[in-house]
Amino acid sequence: MYVCFCRGITDGDIRNAISKGASDFNDVREELGVGTQCGKCARLANEVISDVLDGSSADSNGLFYNVA
Ligand code: FES
């Protein structure tokens, strides 16, 4: 699912960044640029990061944005 529409970043991109060593939102932002334009994705990005770091499975089927 897309987490950041401005930068075209998915939850998979965030998971990959964490697997490469990113350990918090700041690391992921530096690696991917998530949240660096409008900033509306920051909350969701933090949720995905927390889910990955906690080892729980984020709901990858859920849509967090309406795409009409
Ligand atoms: S949706 Fe991520 S910076 Fe705008």
Side-chain angles (χ1 to χ4, degrees):
M1 81 183 159
Y2 278 97
V3 173
C4 175
F5 282 125
C6 291
R7 303 294 302 250
I9 298 166
T10 67
D11 60 326
D13 295 326
I14 292 173
R15 289 173 197 281
N16 286 338
I18 291 171
S19 73
K20 292 178 184 173
S23 61
D24 59 21
F25 178 78
N26 289 332
D27 288 348
V28 173
R29 184 179 59 200
E30 284 184 25
E31 172 85 17
L32 302 175
V34 67
T36 58
Q37 289 189 11
C38 76
K40 291 180 179 177
C41 60
R43 182 170 160 242
L44 177 56
N46 266 309
E47 289 176 10
V48 171
I49 292 164
S50 293
D51 285 347
V52 173
L53 293 176
D54 290 346
S56 62
S57 177
D59 180 11
S60 61
N61 294 322
L63 292 175
F64 292 89
Y65 293 94
N66 284 329
V67 284

Coordinates of all heavy atoms in Angstrom, one line a residue:
M1 N 0.8 -1.2 0.0 CA 0.0 0.0 0.0 C 0.9 1.2 0.0 O 2.0 1.2 0.5 CB -0.9 0.0 1.2 CG -0.2 0.5 2.5 SD -1.3 0.4 3.9 CE 0.0 0.5 5.1
Y2 N 0.3 2.3 -0.6 CA 1.1 3.5 -0.6 C 0.9 4.2 0.8 O -0.1 4.3 1.3 CB 0.6 4.5 -1.7 CG 1.2 4.2 -3.0 CD1 0.5 3.4 -3.9 CD2 2.5 4.6 -3.3 CE1 1.1 3.0 -5.1 CE2 3.1 4.3 -4.5 CZ 2.4 3.5 -5.4 OH 3.0 3.2 -6.6
V3 N 2.1 4.6 1.3 CA 2.1 5.4 2.6 C 2.3 6.9 2.3 O 1.6 7.7 2.8 CB 3.2 4.9 3.5 CG1 3.4 5.8 4.7 CG2 3.0 3.4 3.9
C4 N 3.1 7.2 1.3 CA 3.4 8.6 1.0 C 3.2 8.7 -0.5 O 3.9 8.2 -1.4 CB 4.9 8.9 1.3 SG 5.4 10.5 0.8
F5 N 2.1 9.5 -0.8 CA 1.8 9.7 -2.2 C 2.7 10.7 -2.9 O 3.0 10.6 -4.1 CB 0.3 10.2 -2.4 CG -0.6 9.0 -2.3 CD1 -1.7 9.0 -1.4 CD2 -0.5 7.9 -3.1 CE1 -2.6 8.0 -1.3 CE2 -1.4 6.9 -3.1 CZ -2.4 6.9 -2.2
C6 N 3.1 11.7 -2.1 CA 4.0 12.7 -2.7 C 5.3 12.1 -3.2 O 5.8 12.5 -4.3 CB 4.4 13.8 -1.6 SG 3.0 14.8 -1.1
R7 N 5.8 11.1 -2.5 CA 7.1 10.5 -2.9 C 7.0 9.1 -3.5 O 7.9 8.5 -3.8 CB 8.1 10.5 -1.7 CG 8.3 11.8 -1.0 CD 9.1 12.8 -2.0 NE 10.3 12.2 -2.4 CZ 11.5 12.6 -2.0 NH1 11.6 13.7 -1.2 NH2 12.6 12.0 -2.4
G8 N 5.7 8.6 -3.5 CA 5.5 7.3 -4.1 C 6.1 6.2 -3.3 O 6.6 5.2 -3.8
I9 N 6.0 6.3 -1.9 CA 6.6 5.3 -1.0 C 5.6 4.4 -0.5 O 4.5 4.8 0.0 CB 7.3 6.1 0.1 CG1 8.5 7.0 -0.5 CG2 7.9 5.1 1.1 CD1 9.0 8.0 0.5
T10 N 5.9 3.1 -0.5 CA 5.0 2.1 0.0 C 5.4 1.6 1.3 O 6.6 1.8 1.7 CB 4.9 0.9 -1.0 OG1 6.2 0.3 -1.1 CG2 4.5 1.4 -2.4
D11 N 4.6 0.8 1.9 CA 5.0 0.1 3.2 C 6.1 -0.8 2.9 O 7.0 -1.0 3.8 CB 3.8 -0.6 3.9 CG 3.2 -1.7 3.0 OD1 3.1 -1.5 1.8 OD2 2.7 -2.7 3.6
G12 N 6.1 -1.4 1.8 CA 7.3 -2.3 1.4 C 8.6 -1.6 1.4 O 9.6 -2.1 1.8
D13 N 8.5 -0.4 0.8 CA 9.8 0.5 0.8 C 10.3 0.7 2.2 O 11.5 0.7 2.5 CB 9.5 1.8 0.1 CG 9.2 1.6 -1.4 OD1 9.7 0.7 -2.0 OD2 8.4 2.4 -1.9
I14 N 9.3 1.0 3.1 CA 9.7 1.3 4.5 C 10.2 0.0 5.2 O 11.2 0.1 5.9 CB 8.4 1.8 5.3 CG1 8.1 3.2 4.8 CG2 8.7 1.8 6.8 CD1 6.8 3.8 5.3
R15 N 9.6 -1.1 4.9 CA 10.1 -2.4 5.4 C 11.5 -2.7 4.9 O 12.4 -3.1 5.7 CB 9.2 -3.5 5.0 CG 7.9 -3.5 5.7 CD 6.9 -4.6 5.2 NE 5.6 -4.3 5.6 CZ 5.0 -4.6 6.8 NH1 5.8 -5.2 7.7 NH2 3.8 -4.3 7.0
N16 N 11.8 -2.4 3.7 CA 13.1 -2.6 3.1 C 14.1 -1.7 3.8 O 15.2 -2.1 4.1 CB 13.1 -2.4 1.6 CG 12.5 -3.5 0.8 OD1 12.4 -4.6 1.3 ND2 12.0 -3.2 -0.4
A17 N 13.7 -0.4 4.0 CA 14.6 0.5 4.7 C 15.0 0.0 6.1 O 16.1 0.1 6.5 CB 14.0 1.9 4.7
I18 N 14.0 -0.5 6.8 CA 14.2 -1.0 8.1 C 15.1 -2.3 8.1 O 16.0 -2.4 8.9 CB 12.9 -1.3 8.9 CG1 12.2 0.0 9.1 CG2 13.1 -2.1 10.1 CD1 10.8 -0.1 9.7
S19 N 14.9 -3.1 7.1 CA 15.7 -4.3 7.0 C 17.2 -4.0 6.6 O 18.1 -4.7 6.9 CB 15.2 -5.3 5.9 OG 15.4 -4.7 4.6
K20 N 17.4 -2.8 6.1 CA 18.8 -2.3 5.8 C 19.4 -1.5 6.9 O 20.5 -1.0 6.8 CB 18.7 -1.4 4.5 CG 18.4 -2.2 3.2 CD 18.3 -1.2 2.0 CE 17.9 -2.0 0.8 NZ 17.7 -1.0 -0.3
G21 N 18.6 -1.4 8.0 CA 19.2 -0.7 9.2 C 18.5 0.5 9.8 O 18.9 1.0 10.8
A22 N 17.5 1.0 9.0 CA 16.8 2.2 9.6 C 16.1 1.7 10.9 O 15.5 0.6 10.9 CB 15.8 2.7 8.6
S23 N 16.2 2.5 11.9 CA 15.6 2.1 13.2 C 14.6 3.0 13.8 O 14.0 2.8 14.8 CB 16.8 2.0 14.2 OG 17.4 3.2 14.4
D24 N 14.3 4.1 13.1 CA 13.2 5.0 13.5 C 12.7 5.9 12.3 O 13.3 5.8 11.2 CB 13.6 5.9 14.7 CG 14.9 6.7 14.4 OD1 15.1 7.0 13.2 OD2 15.5 7.1 15.4
F25 N 11.8 6.7 12.6 CA 11.2 7.6 11.6 C 12.3 8.5 10.9 O 12.3 8.6 9.7 CB 10.1 8.5 12.1 CG 9.5 9.4 11.1 CD1 8.6 8.9 10.2 CD2 9.8 10.7 11.1 CE1 8.0 9.7 9.2 CE2 9.3 11.6 10.1 CZ 8.4 11.1 9.2
N26 N 13.1 9.0 11.7 CA 14.2 9.9 11.2 C 15.1 9.1 10.2 O 15.4 9.7 9.1 CB 15.0 10.5 12.3 CG 14.2 11.6 13.1 OD1 13.3 12.2 12.5 ND2 14.6 11.7 14.3
D27 N 15.4 7.9 10.5 CA 16.2 7.1 9.6 C 15.5 6.9 8.3 O 16.1 7.0 7.2 CB 16.6 5.8 10.2 CG 17.6 5.9 11.4 OD1 18.2 7.0 11.5 OD2 17.8 4.9 12.1
V28 N 14.2 6.5 8.4 CA 13.4 6.2 7.2 C 13.2 7.4 6.4 O 13.3 7.4 5.2 CB 12.1 5.6 7.6 CG1 11.2 5.4 6.4 CG2 12.3 4.2 8.3
R29 N 13.0 8.6 7.0 CA 12.9 9.8 6.3 C 14.1 10.2 5.6 O 14.1 10.6 4.4 CB 12.5 11.0 7.3 CG 12.2 12.3 6.6 CD 11.9 13.4 7.5 NE 13.0 13.6 8.5 CZ 12.9 14.1 9.7 NH1 11.7 14.6 10.0 NH2 13.9 14.3 10.4
E30 N 15.3 10.0 6.2 CA 16.5 10.3 5.5 C 16.8 9.3 4.3 O 17.3 9.7 3.3 CB 17.7 10.2 6.5 CG 17.8 11.3 7.4 CD 19.0 11.3 8.3 OE1 20.0 10.6 7.9 OE2 19.0 11.9 9.4
E31 N 16.4 8.0 4.5 CA 16.6 7.0 3.5 C 15.7 7.2 2.3 O 16.1 7.1 1.2 CB 16.4 5.6 4.1 CG 16.4 4.5 3.1 CD 17.8 4.0 2.8 OE1 18.7 4.3 3.6 OE2 18.0 3.3 1.8
L32 N 14.4 7.5 2.6 CA 13.4 7.5 1.5 C 12.8 8.8 1.2 O 12.2 9.0 0.1 CB 12.2 6.5 1.9 CG 12.6 5.1 2.2 CD1 11.4 4.3 2.7 CD2 13.2 4.4 1.0
G33 N 12.9 9.8 2.1 CA 12.3 11.1 1.9 C 10.8 11.1 2.3 O 10.1 12.1 2.0
V34 N 10.3 10.1 3.0 CA 9.0 10.0 3.4 C 8.7 11.2 4.4 O 9.5 11.6 5.2 CB 8.6 8.7 4.1 CG1 9.4 8.5 5.4 CG2 7.1 8.5 4.3
G35 N 7.5 11.9 4.1 CA 7.1 13.0 5.0 C 7.8 14.3 4.7 O 7.7 15.2 5.5
T36 N 8.6 14.4 3.6 CA 9.4 15.6 3.4 C 8.7 16.6 2.5 O 9.3 17.6 2.2 CB 10.7 15.2 2.8 OG1 10.6 14.5 1.6 CG2 11.6 14.4 3.8
Q37 N 7.5 16.3 2.1 CA 6.8 17.3 1.2 C 5.6 17.8 2.0 O 5.7 18.8 2.8 CB 6.4 16.7 -0.1 CG 7.7 16.5 -1.0 CD 7.4 16.1 -2.4 OE1 6.3 16.2 -2.9 NE2 8.5 15.7 -3.1
C38 N 4.4 17.2 1.8 CA 3.2 17.8 2.5 C 3.2 17.3 4.0 O 2.6 18.0 4.8 CB 1.9 17.3 1.8 SG 1.5 15.6 2.1
G39 N 3.8 16.2 4.3 CA 3.9 15.8 5.7 C 2.7 15.0 6.2 O 2.7 14.5 7.3
K40 N 1.7 14.8 5.3 CA 0.4 14.1 5.8 C 0.6 12.7 6.0 O -0.2 12.0 6.7 CB -0.7 14.3 4.7 CG -1.2 15.7 4.6 CD -2.3 15.8 3.6 CE -2.8 17.3 3.5 NZ -3.8 17.4 2.5
C41 N 1.7 12.1 5.5 CA 2.0 10.7 5.7 C 2.7 10.3 7.0 O 2.9 9.1 7.3 CB 2.7 10.1 4.5 SG 4.3 11.0 4.3
A42 N 3.2 11.3 7.7 CA 4.1 11.1 8.8 C 3.5 10.1 9.8 O 4.1 9.2 10.3 CB 4.5 12.4 9.4
R43 N 2.2 10.4 10.1 CA 1.6 9.5 11.2 C 1.5 8.1 10.7 O 1.8 7.2 11.5 CB 0.2 10.1 11.5 CG -0.5 9.3 12.5 CD -1.8 10.0 13.0 NE -2.6 9.0 13.7 CZ -3.9 8.7 13.2 NH1 -4.4 9.2 12.2 NH2 -4.6 7.8 13.9
L44 N 1.0 7.9 9.5 CA 0.9 6.5 9.0 C 2.3 5.9 8.8 O 2.5 4.7 9.2 CB 0.2 6.5 7.6 CG 0.1 5.1 6.9 CD1 -0.6 4.1 7.8 CD2 -0.6 5.3 5.6
A45 N 3.3 6.6 8.4 CA 4.7 6.1 8.3 C 5.1 5.6 9.7 O 5.7 4.6 9.8 CB 5.6 7.1 7.7
N46 N 4.9 6.4 10.7 CA 5.3 6.1 12.0 C 4.6 4.8 12.5 O 5.2 3.9 13.2 CB 5.0 7.2 13.0 CG 6.2 8.1 13.2 OD1 7.2 7.6 13.5 ND2 5.9 9.4 13.1
E47 N 3.3 4.6 12.1 CA 2.6 3.4 12.5 C 3.2 2.2 11.8 O 3.3 1.1 12.4 CB 1.1 3.5 12.1 CG 0.3 4.5 12.9 CD -1.1 4.7 12.5 OE1 -1.6 3.9 11.6 OE2 -1.8 5.6 13.0
V48 N 3.5 2.3 10.5 CA 4.1 1.2 9.8 C 5.5 0.9 10.4 O 5.8 -0.3 10.7 CB 4.3 1.5 8.3 CG1 5.1 0.5 7.6 CG2 2.9 1.7 7.6
I49 N 6.3 1.9 10.7 CA 7.6 1.7 11.3 C 7.4 1.0 12.7 O 8.1 0.0 13.0 CB 8.3 3.0 11.5 CG1 8.7 3.5 10.1 CG2 9.6 2.8 12.4 CD1 9.1 5.0 10.1
S50 N 6.5 1.4 13.5 CA 6.3 0.8 14.8 C 5.8 -0.6 14.6 O 6.3 -1.5 15.4 CB 5.2 1.6 15.6 OG 5.7 2.8 15.9
D51 N 4.9 -0.9 13.7 CA 4.4 -2.3 13.5 C 5.6 -3.2 13.1 O 5.7 -4.3 13.6 CB 3.4 -2.3 12.4 CG 2.0 -1.8 12.9 OD1 1.9 -1.6 14.1 OD2 1.2 -1.6 12.0
V52 N 6.5 -2.7 12.2 CA 7.6 -3.5 11.7 C 8.6 -3.8 12.9 O 9.0 -4.9 13.1 CB 8.3 -2.9 10.5 CG1 9.6 -3.6 10.2 CG2 7.4 -2.8 9.3
L53 N 8.9 -2.7 13.6 CA 9.9 -2.9 14.7 C 9.3 -3.7 15.8 O 10.1 -4.4 16.5 CB 10.3 -1.5 15.2 CG 11.1 -0.7 14.2 CD1 11.4 0.7 14.7 CD2 12.4 -1.4 13.7
D54 N 8.0 -3.6 16.0 CA 7.4 -4.4 17.1 C 7.2 -5.9 16.7 O 6.8 -6.7 17.5 CB 6.0 -3.9 17.5 CG 6.2 -2.5 18.2 OD1 7.3 -2.2 18.7 OD2 5.1 -1.8 18.4
G55 N 7.3 -6.1 15.4 CA 7.2 -7.5 14.9 C 5.7 -7.9 14.6 O 5.5 -9.0 14.2
S56 N 4.8 -6.9 14.8 CA 3.5 -7.2 14.4 C 3.3 -7.0 13.0 O 4.0 -6.3 12.3 CB 2.5 -6.4 15.3 OG 2.7 -5.0 15.0
S57 N 2.2 -7.5 12.4 CA 1.9 -7.4 11.0 C 0.9 -6.3 10.7 O -0.2 -6.3 11.2 CB 1.3 -8.7 10.5 OG 1.0 -8.6 9.1
A58 N 1.4 -5.3 10.0 CA 0.5 -4.2 9.6 C -0.6 -4.8 8.7 O -0.3 -5.7 7.9 CB 1.2 -3.1 9.0
D59 N -1.7 -4.1 8.7 CA -2.8 -4.5 7.8 C -2.5 -4.1 6.4 O -2.7 -3.0 6.0 CB -4.1 -3.9 8.2 CG -5.3 -4.4 7.3 OD1 -5.1 -5.2 6.5 OD2 -6.3 -3.8 7.5
S60 N -1.8 -4.9 5.6 CA -1.4 -4.5 4.3 C -2.6 -4.5 3.3 O -2.4 -4.0 2.2 CB -0.4 -5.5 3.7 OG -0.9 -6.8 3.7
N61 N -3.8 -4.9 3.7 CA -4.9 -4.8 2.8 C -5.7 -3.6 3.0 O -6.6 -3.3 2.2 CB -5.8 -6.0 3.0 CG -5.1 -7.3 2.6 OD1 -4.4 -7.3 1.6 ND2 -5.4 -8.4 3.3
G62 N -5.4 -2.9 4.1 CA -6.2 -1.7 4.4 C -5.8 -0.5 3.5 O -4.7 -0.4 3.1
L63 N -6.8 0.4 3.3 CA -6.5 1.6 2.5 C -6.6 2.7 3.5 O -7.5 2.9 4.2 CB -7.5 1.8 1.4 CG -7.4 0.8 0.3 CD1 -8.5 1.0 -0.7 CD2 -6.1 0.9 -0.5
F64 N -5.5 3.5 3.5 CA -5.5 4.6 4.5 C -5.9 5.9 3.8 O -6.0 6.9 4.4 CB -4.1 4.7 5.1 CG -3.8 3.6 6.0 CD1 -3.2 2.4 5.5 CD2 -4.2 3.6 7.3 CE1 -3.0 1.3 6.4 CE2 -3.9 2.6 8.2 CZ -3.3 1.4 7.7
Y65 N -5.9 5.9 2.5 CA -6.3 7.1 1.7 C -7.5 6.7 0.8 O -7.5 5.6 0.3 CB -5.2 7.6 0.8 CG -4.0 8.1 1.6 CD1 -2.9 7.3 1.9 CD2 -4.0 9.4 2.0 CE1 -1.8 7.8 2.5 CE2 -2.9 9.9 2.7 CZ -1.8 9.1 2.9 OH -0.7 9.6 3.6
N66 N -8.4 7.6 0.6 CA -9.4 7.4 -0.4 C -8.8 7.7 -1.7 O -8.2 8.7 -1.9 CB -10.6 8.3 -0.1 CG -11.5 7.8 1.0 OD1 -11.5 6.6 1.3 ND2 -12.1 8.7 1.7
V67 N -9.0 6.7 -2.6 CA -8.5 6.9 -4.0 C -9.7 6.8 -4.9 O -9.9 5.8 -5.5 CB -7.4 5.9 -4.4 CG1 -6.1 6.3 -3.7 CG2 -7.7 4.5 -4.0
A68 N -10.4 7.9 -5.0 CA -11.6 7.9 -5.9 C -11.3 8.2 -7.3 O -10.3 8.7 -7.7 CB -12.6 8.9 -5.4
Ligands
FES1 S1 2.1 12.1 1.4 FE1 4.2 12.0 2.2 S2 5.0 14.0 2.1 FE2 3.0 14.1 1.2

